[in-house]
Amino acid sequence: MNNDQDLPKDMPYMSPLTTREDASKAKGYTDEFNVETPTTMVDITTKQSYTPADISFVNFYRFEGMSDPGDNNILYEVETSDGHKGILVTPYGPDCPAHVADFVAAVDQIAKQHAGSADNMVP
């Protein structure tokens, strides 16, 4: 039986989302993006903007909060038409802002990679 008493006291708790962010960054997805309008996603650092046609989601991971439905998020691994790679974290379900949902819905290329397969596409 695993409980909080079994965890090392000097080890900080990392959520699965935080762990996935770190793993994606280790794979080279180092930029961070934010959706600002239904047609614009921006690199947080460089302020470069992208339209849905400028990007592809090469993989995504969905996270559900154990005790709070407001903790439902999706992490997208993003590749841009100009060669940048990064992550976009968005809420999903009823907590997802309309402009974010509209942007994501407009992206043509959304892939989900399963255990070694990069060919599985999500419509």
Side-chain angles (χ1 to χ4, degrees):
M1 182 172 165
N2 188 4
N3 61 39
D4 288 343
Q5 295 173 344
D6 296 331
L7 297 174
K9 299 297 181 214
D10 60 346
M11 179 180 226
Y13 173 75
M14 290 182 66
S15 73
L17 176 60
T18 304
T19 302
R20 180 69 252 165
E21 287 175 330
D22 291 345
S24 293
K25 288 178 181 180
K27 291 185 347 185
Y29 295 91
T30 55
D31 294 346
E32 293 186 29
F33 299 103
N34 187 42
V35 175
E36 292 190 348
T37 74
T39 59
T40 308
M41 180 185 79
V42 175
D43 183 308
I44 293 172
T45 303
T46 67
K47 306 302 182 206
Q48 173 68 37
S49 63
Y50 300 93
T51 68
D54 295 328
I55 70 162
S56 62
F57 294 135
V58 296
N59 210 349
F60 62 92
Y61 305 89
R62 191 170 94 172
F63 301 91
E64 297 180 4
M66 294 287 286
S67 61
D68 181 0
D71 288 341
N72 295 336
N73 292 295
I74 297 179
L75 180 145
Y76 296 96
E77 291 178 339
V78 178
E79 291 185 9
T80 66
S81 58
D82 62 356
H84 290 263
K85 293 170 58 174
I87 59 173
L88 170 68
V89 178
T90 69
Y92 73 90
D95 292 326
C96 186
H99 73 283
V100 173
D102 290 344
F103 183 90
V104 169
V107 174
D108 287 335
Q109 179 84 23
I110 301 178
K112 177 63 180 166
Q113 299 175 16
H114 297 280
S117 173
D119 298 323
N120 296 321
M121 298 300 298
V122 176

